[in-house]
Amino acid sequence: MQAIWDIEHHQILPTSRLMVDLGLAMLVVAAAYFLSPLVLRKWITDKDGHPLPPGPPIRYAFLRKYAELALHDWQQKYGPIFSIWMGSQLFVVISDPHVARDLLVTNGSVFSTRKRYFMKNQVILNGRAITASPYGDKWRQHRRLATQVLTPKAMQGFANIMDYESHILVKSLYELGHKGEVPVNPAHYAGRFALNNMLIISFGMRTDTSEDPLVEKALDLAMEFMDLTGPWSNAVDFFEPLQWIPTSKRSRGIKLHDGLIDVYGSMIQRFERRMKSGEYVPDCLVKTLLESQEEEKLDWEDLCMLSAVFTLGGVHSASRFILVRMKATTSGIIQWFLALIPSHQHIAEKAYEELDRVIGRERWPTAADEPNLPYIRAIIKEVQRVHAPFWFATPHCTSQDFSYKGTFIPKDSVVLLNCYSLHHNEERYPNSFSFLPERYLGDDLGCGESAKLANVMERDHWTFGAGRRICPGLPAAERELWLAISRLLWAFKFEALPNEPISLEEYEGLSGRTPLPYRLRLVPRHNNLAGILQAADEVKMTW
């Protein structure tokens, strides 16, 4: 039998040599491809010779789990704006507030479209809805329709619902914890609080149990969506030849697309039957879409994907529960708050003092009390800064070539807002790795108002993004966070378990992030809590 190595003559046989030569050639081609940025950074310039923003000298197929740490290291090495190749896609990373304002706000017309991620935008969402639409007329139409139910005025119509859901959140944790005697994992209840608020706004309904078939279906879709998407998740998004090859992941994406149409389509049909029968249906997104379908020329897939993305878009799981991106923000922040506060008892004590002095113990806080509780407001802002549920805002994309301060940003570059580095900017946030709510005392603006400040160094944080693509659900998320966290502080003392340390460094999730599962004791602060909680019982709203 012919061997690869001829022992007698000490040489490689011809057939084997061909295989070796082919392997070496492939190795050289791969090396040249992954090292090509060394040359491309010198060759790719604008008409005035300005180069690309500096960055690593190689291409990457993926980034490690905690990608924000890699980007923070590169920011410290390459500066406030740098570039990185992910496969064939050039990313430009913004890590400075002034650069973020100049590019995403002042020049928003150039930096407000979206990259057509193959898996998320083309396969799963088929170019529909706000998150997958390129910047243009279709995006403006979809955003206008969606934001009709998210304006501050519209939020007033949902005020009682949000108040009720925060009541049920506190009551559920109180009952689960048996008055502080039994440790609780708050993830499920924070998730259901956020989900129900979103379902009310989207479909005019809520669920009273995680056993609801709707929740189970939505959970499956959300988990699959999270597994298949994210700015660094899929090599197929960065290596175009992979898009021509049938793969199991692509089949999963097609199946998820069909699942979204099926589940949310059936929910829309049920809602429509109620409307046509003359039954009262509350104002919500689906009602708006159905009433304007003909005038806005929305096809069936538009309806399904708009409602799905509004409820699930940018979803991530929160310890086995689903959230929309803005609701993931809400639930994630509640979970991070509850993870942080047991190890910061001096902050809790200051909050208790303010609550007892301003509110007393005969009632609990309402939305109207927010201006009079600046320290509670500061705690919420600081949680959003220190533990933003998304370290990377949804990526933008350039619609044309652009030159900025001696660097060249080509058309179709993906532009990423690096919230981790922005939130750890020592000039803006001294001692940035510490949890210090006091830094926000005197800041009386909401997140939306703060994002419009002329002096960008006075902006509170970047959790909701920037520019024309800033999160449209910001008013709803702010109100929910206020009601939930202010009432949790009014109701409970928070005690960690001696043998179960809560990790504040590690987390779950790919694009979104929540703490690793943990338990704590929620001990009632006073005897009036039980009486207040008895004022509302949980109900299910039909759909």
Side-chain angles (χ1 to χ4, degrees), residues 33 40 63 66 105 133 180 200 298 313 353 425-426 440 457:
Y33 177 76
L40 293 175
L63 295 182
Y66 301 124
V105 180
S133 298
I200 290 288
L298 300 172
E353 187 280 328
N425 181 318
E426 286 293 327
Y440 286 111
M457 291 300 287

Side-chain angles (χ1 to χ4, degrees), residues 409-425:
I409 304 173
K411 179 182 177 182
D412 296 327
S413 298
V414 173
V415 180
L416 191 71
L417 193 64
N418 179 9
C419 293
Y420 183 85
S421 292
L422 286 165
H423 285 188
H424 293 89
N425 181 318

Side-chain angles (χ1 to χ4, degrees), residues 174 179 356 360-363 490-492 523-534:
Y174 174 80
K179 302 180 181 179
D356 290 344
R361 298 191 174 187
E362 300 301 318
R363 68 176 184 92
W490 182 89
F492 299 118
V523 181
R525 290 184 57 230
H526 39 74
N527 296 329
N528 290 338
L529 178 58
I532 287 178
L533 293 178
Q534 289 173 2

Side-chain angles (χ1 to χ4, degrees), residues 209-252:
T209 172
S210 62
E211 304 302 321
D212 190 307
L214 164 65
V215 176
E216 293 180 2
K217 290 178 181 178
L219 172 60
D220 291 340
L221 293 173
M223 294 293 286
E224 185 70 346
F225 189 95
M226 183 58 203
D227 197 38
L228 292 175
T229 62
W232 319 106
S233 299
N234 290 303
V236 70
D237 288 324
F238 312 124
F239 296 92
E240 292 186 10
L242 296 179
Q243 299 174 11
W244 311 330
I245 304 171
T247 62
S248 60
K249 183 169 278 194
R250 182 173 183 171
S251 297
R252 287 168 58 194

Side-chain angles (χ1 to χ4, degrees), residues 318-367:
S319 300
R320 304 183 181 154
F321 211 82
I322 64 170
L323 317 165
V324 294
R325 183 176 184 104
M326 81 180 194
K327 299 308 157 189
T329 302
T330 304
S331 176
I333 289 169
I334 292 171
Q335 290 181 65
W336 281 115
F337 161 75
L338 290 171
L340 276 161
I341 207 70
S343 58
H344 294 82
Q345 286 298 323
H346 63 291
I347 290 173
E349 291 297 332
K350 290 181 181 179
Y352 300 151
E353 187 280 328
E354 182 177 77
L355 286 162
D356 290 344
R357 172 169 42 83
V358 176
I359 303 299
R361 298 191 174 187
E362 300 301 318
R363 68 176 184 92
W364 63 9
T366 67

